[in-house]
Amino acid sequence: MRIGLLFDLRNPAQWERPWADHYARTLEFCEEADRLGIGGLWFTEHHRFEDGYLPQPLTFAAAAAARTRQARIGTSVVIPALRHPALLAEEAAVVDLISGGRLELGIGAGYRVPEFQLFDVPYERRVTRAGEAVAEVRRLWRERTVTPLPLQADVPVWGGFYGPRGARLAGRLGMGHLHVSRSLFAEYTAGLEEGGHDAGTARVGGLVPLVLADDPEAAWVRIAPHLAHQKNTYRRGWSEGSDRPELPWLEPDPESPELRKFLRVLTPEQAAAEIRTMTRDLPVAHLIFWASIAGMPDDLVVRNMELFTGEIVPLFS
């Protein structure tokens, strides 16, 4: 099982730094995490976020790949419905080549209407089209229709799909499933069998909303405003441009029990116990944790990274 860190490159206005500096600093974090032994560096995608949420994860993944040597380089997730399959196949192949064969290609369906409007892509059938894109990318590689090809003969592909339907789809396509869930695992393995795949090839991974700190309560007070920003932008994005009801706004109050539901700030010892319970009897290949929560202070980011690489990675590698 590999322990990884997820970067979304948010740079909210209330904590904003110059964009070039922000990107450069994040690449430095990636380079240092790799030097310290992190198992994976993962990048995610959204568009039209006011805080500059990373819009092109494969582009940034290529930059991180060039600066690192050991960590797997992953997307969690890229949205294939917003790209032509041939473009996705080419971009992913280039990242795999630059990384020396370290790419983990995680894909998702997307859920924000404004993102599909930006690219003039229909919002309907987005889950189905994501699955179709995966099949097409694999065909393009298999038939050598695009060049150059990835270095890996079989690039690991992951489905970051929600719910029982998504878990079955990931299984039918022979993908890994980017959710660590016992209830969904049964649906996922059923999907593998439906697709004619050996259930013994099942592999899962996913994001765990957990940050490490030496003093969790002191860190929580500083992280809470950043977490409120993060969750409120997700909540706005959920309803924006759709007929979904608006979700209640979260106040950036460290004392809010509602806010605490979305993130655990723990010591390495506490985290290790939770990870053991969470992963028991599941074929977990990757656990992914936030490197930073929406522009949280660098000293917290650095210590979070140090504790994962120094305390958690040795326990689970």
Side-chain angles (χ1 to χ4, degrees):
M1 183 171 68
R2 289 177 176 265
I3 302 297
L5 295 173
L6 178 66
F7 297 83
D8 61 12
L9 278 292
R10 289 172 179 264
N11 191 15
Q14 57 269 50
W15 305 291
E16 185 174 332
R17 71 179 76 194
W19 276 101
D21 294 348
H22 180 54
Y23 270 54
R25 181 62 170 142
T26 303
L27 286 171
E28 290 173 356
F29 286 147
C30 293
E31 191 172 12
E32 180 66 4
D34 180 66
R35 186 188 70 80
L36 293 172
I38 201 68
L41 299 166
W42 297 77
F43 307 97
T44 183
E45 172 180 2
H46 272 304
H47 302 268
R48 302 180 70 176
F49 268 59
E50 292 180 0
D51 60 13
Y53 199 120
L54 180 63
Q56 297 296 333
L58 285 167
T59 302
F60 201 89
R67 298 275 290 265
T68 59
R69 294 293 177 267
Q70 303 297 325
R72 300 294 292 179
I73 303 294
T75 57
S76 180
V77 293
V78 66
I79 305 173
L82 305 182
R83 296 163 175 78
H84 191 284
L87 177 60
L88 178 57
E90 290 178 342
E91 288 181 324
V94 168
V95 175
D96 197 53
L97 289 165
I98 291 172
S99 69
R102 290 181 282 139
L103 178 64
E104 304 273 339
L105 183 62
I107 66 104
Y111 69 91
R112 293 186 66 241
V113 172
E115 297 179 330
F116 287 79
Q117 293 173 337
L118 178 65
F119 290 93
D120 196 25
V121 173
Y123 183 74
E124 295 73 25
R125 296 184 65 250
R126 61 194 183 281
V127 177
T128 300
R129 285 187 287 114
E132 292 169 348
V134 170
E136 179 64 5
V137 166
R138 285 172 163 167
R139 184 193 69 80
L140 292 168
W141 287 339
R142 182 177 63 253
E143 297 180 2
R144 307 176 70 87
T145 306
V146 297
T147 58
L149 294 174
L151 184 60
Q152 295 179 95
D154 188 11
V155 174
V157 182
W158 295 83
F161 303 126
Y162 292 97
R165 177 190 173 200
R168 280 186 177 257
L169 175 61
R172 285 196 299 272
L173 292 171
M175 307 165 71
H177 189 219
L178 278 178
H179 285 286
V180 181
S181 164
R182 282 184 171 75
S183 60
L184 290 181
F185 183 68
E187 298 286 349
Y188 168 56
T189 53
L192 284 170
E193 293 171 353
E194 289 172 5
H197 307 288
D198 182 359
T201 64
R203 65 194 192 282
V204 299
L207 177 64
V208 180
L210 188 157
V211 167
L212 296 183
D214 298 297
D215 184 341
E217 283 305 309
W220 167 254
V221 170
R222 299 175 65 198
I223 293 170
H226 300 268
L227 180 63
H229 169 88
Q230 181 198 65
K231 291 303 175 183
N232 284 331
T233 57
Y234 282 141
R235 288 180 169 213
R236 182 191 302 120
W238 173 255
S239 59
E240 189 177 11
S242 75
D243 56 3
R244 300 181 186 124
E246 292 187 6
L247 298 174
W249 206 248
L250 295 169
E251 294 299 325
D253 179 6
E255 300 301 320
S256 166
E258 181 69 17
L259 195 58
R260 282 188 181 267
K261 294 178 182 177
F262 297 106
L263 182 74
R264 304 290 303 281
V265 183
L266 302 177
T267 65
E269 294 78 11
Q270 293 168 331
E274 292 212 1
I275 290 170
R276 289 189 182 98
T277 299
M278 180 190 317
T279 60
R280 187 175 296 123
D281 300 324
L282 289 175
V284 180
H286 293 278
L287 280 187
I288 308 166
F289 302 87
W290 286 111
S292 173
I293 304 293
M296 75 186 199
D298 279 358
D299 65 302
L300 294 178
V301 177
V302 169
R303 192 56 182 152
N304 180 46
M305 180 176 70
E306 289 174 343
L307 291 172
F308 270 115
T309 55
E311 304 291 335
I312 299 298
V313 168
L315 293 177
F316 296 97
S317 298

